Amino acid sequence: MARRSKIVSTTLITGALLLTSLGLGGIAMSAETPPAKSAGAGVTAAHAGHTMAASSASSPEDPDGDGYIPANPPVTGVTPSTKEPPHRYFHEFQANCSVSHTKADDPIVYPQQPGASHDHTFMGNTTTDAASTTASLEAGRTTCKAPGDKSGYWMPTLSSGDKPVLPIGPQTIYYKAGVTDYTSVRPFPRGLRFVVGDPMQSAEEFRHHPGFVEGWECGDSFFNIEFPKDCPSRPEVQLNIRFQAPSCWDGKYLDTPDHRSHMAYPVVNPGTNNNVCPADHPVALPMIEFKMAFPVNGDLSNARLASGPSWSFHYDFFNAWDAPTLKALVDHCVVGALQCDARGYDQTHPEAGAALDENYELP
């Protein structure tokens, strides 16, 4: 299983020291302030860096076209939890999903506009395209091991020269506790969607992004901002990246015009080493972490993302989980403080059982 997430305070400190020793600076953890909603607010600044200008169309789930999709119902009356439950090293489960297709579509940033985006590599839901909505994804099929996970996951396509390099087999997408009080984490609301990172970010912004874990990895080379130049040419060696998503929700919107502001990263509770959600994003959700493996090694001088250089890496998430299945995994593995596989089974705690059956479905 993977090393512990950097969102745990002691690991944050160690990781920051290591980054500094490597000349990579520190790790910033900060909340994003949502833009004020106003009449006529559009999606004009939605997601710079794609192949076309800002989106001019809106999702069918956003009938007034202002870029805000309200949660129904909203989550109110929540304050960020500052509790300290018994310390457990892990509180996570995996979603193992394979690549299904590539397409120059993005239903979050460019809804109803096929071909408007740079090329994306899609995992999970096999129907994800520019026209995707919550309902269409729920009616689709999935490459994830758990049939109940019909969510859409996508990232810019990696190419070596003019040849796309697509991850082979099930990829690891972790669902973790991003806050110290792992018992406060609740499942994603139906239809939540967001973008992690920014294709227009600079190398420095990528390095200091709160979602940065270990950058680009290959062989024994870690914490790279650029694709590693010393990637061993061995069949078992692949190019990897790990990147974490924000896990604190405002409770109000399933999407906002910039596709980020309804979400925020945990912050450190003053006077403690604990991670909590900020006051304006008080609802603790699972922290997604992409751990992607690309079957390429050796000379990576011709490697490039469809969005641009190595530091333009980002990804998108569109929730279409079967609600009871997601709740069972969150409650059993995250709230229950286990280190689970895609069945919700922790090999080190077999007495806890599994959340799902041998078919990765609810028993």
Side-chain angles (χ1 to χ4, degrees):
M1 299 290 284
R3 285 159 286 191
R4 191 184 186 192
S5 165
K6 75 180 173 74
I7 49 85
V8 181
S9 298
T10 55
T11 309
L12 267 173
I13 296 170
T14 303
L17 290 173
L18 178 57
L19 282 170
T20 302
S21 70
L22 293 172
L24 296 182
I27 301 173
M29 297 287 283
S30 61
E32 298 178 9
T33 303
K37 181 175 180 179
S38 59
V43 282
T44 54
H47 194 350
H50 284 70
T51 56
M52 290 181 66
S55 177
S56 59
S58 62
S59 166
E61 296 172 279
D62 176 23
D64 62 4
D66 68 353
Y68 290 87
I69 300 178
N72 184 22
V75 176
T76 59
V78 176
T79 56
S81 176
T82 57
K83 295 179 181 178
E84 297 185 41
H87 174 70
R88 294 291 291 270
Y89 197 78
F90 294 103
H91 7 70
E92 64 184 44
F93 67 91
Q94 297 182 21
N96 297 145
C97 308
S98 301
V99 170
S100 59
H101 60 290
T102 63
K103 209 165 209 177
D105 283 6
D106 190 324
I108 296 177
V109 179
Y110 290 106
Q112 310 300 308
Q113 298 179 78
S117 173
H118 54 244
D119 198 64
H120 284 110
T121 295
F122 291 88
M123 295 169 289
N125 201 296
T126 62
T127 70
T128 312
D129 61 17
S132 291
T133 63
T134 303
S136 74
L137 292 177
E138 290 174 340
R141 299 177 65 85
T142 183
T143 65
C144 299
K145 286 185 177 179
D149 185 8
K150 296 183 179 181
S151 302
Y153 307 89
W154 62 96
M155 59 189 172
T157 298
L158 174 71
S159 296
S160 181
D162 58 358
K163 181 180 179 181
V165 179
L166 305 181
I168 298 173
Q171 298 300 294
T172 302
I173 301 169
Y174 290 107
Y175 281 62
K176 303 183 175 187
V179 291
T180 298
D181 183 10
Y182 52 84
T183 67
S184 68
V185 177
R186 64 180 71 193
F188 291 118
R190 179 178 182 265
L192 181 73
R193 68 210 73 180
F194 52 81
V195 177
V196 183
D198 189 335
M200 291 299 288
Q201 63 202 353
S202 67
E204 282 293 301
E205 289 169 333
F206 176 63
R207 181 173 70 182
H208 294 288
H209 195 283
F212 186 97
V213 180
E214 294 174 354
W216 293 99
E217 312 170 341
C218 194
D220 294 326
S221 180
F222 303 93
F223 297 102
N224 294 288
I225 307 307
E226 298 182 359
F227 297 126
K229 293 181 173 59
D230 53 352
C231 188
S233 297
R234 299 196 302 268
E236 73 276 11
V237 174
Q238 298 191 81
L239 177 68
N240 297 271
I241 190 167
R242 297 161 63 100
F243 209 84
Q244 293 176 341
S247 60
C248 297
W249 179 44
D250 65 8
K252 301 175 183 177
Y253 299 108
L254 303 177
D255 197 12
T256 42
D258 66 356
H259 315 297
R260 298 174 180 83
S261 295
H262 52 308
M263 301 295 297
Y265 285 88
V267 296
V268 176
N269 189 25
T272 74
N273 288 322
N274 296 338
N275 294 307
V276 299
C277 283
D280 54 0
H281 292 73
V283 184
L285 302 177
M287 174 176 274
I288 288 177
E289 178 182 316
F290 266 33
K291 184 183 179 184
M292 302 288 109
F294 300 89
V296 64
N297 54 42
D299 181 9
L300 300 182
S301 60
N302 290 324
R304 185 172 177 81
L305 295 172
S307 53
S310 56
W311 54 82
S312 70
F313 181 79
H314 60 289
Y315 61 89
D316 301 55
F317 169 68
F318 195 140
N319 177 43
W321 273 90
D322 169 67
T325 303
L326 179 59
K327 178 174 172 51
L329 287 165
V330 170
D331 289 351
H332 186 69
C333 302
V334 180
V335 176
L338 298 174
Q339 185 184 26
C340 296
D341 59 16
R343 277 190 63 213
Y345 179 73
D346 185 341
Q347 293 183 355
T348 63
H349 290 280
E351 74 283 358
L356 306 179
D357 65 18
E358 62 275 8
N359 297 315
Y360 299 89
E361 297 180 319
L362 286 173

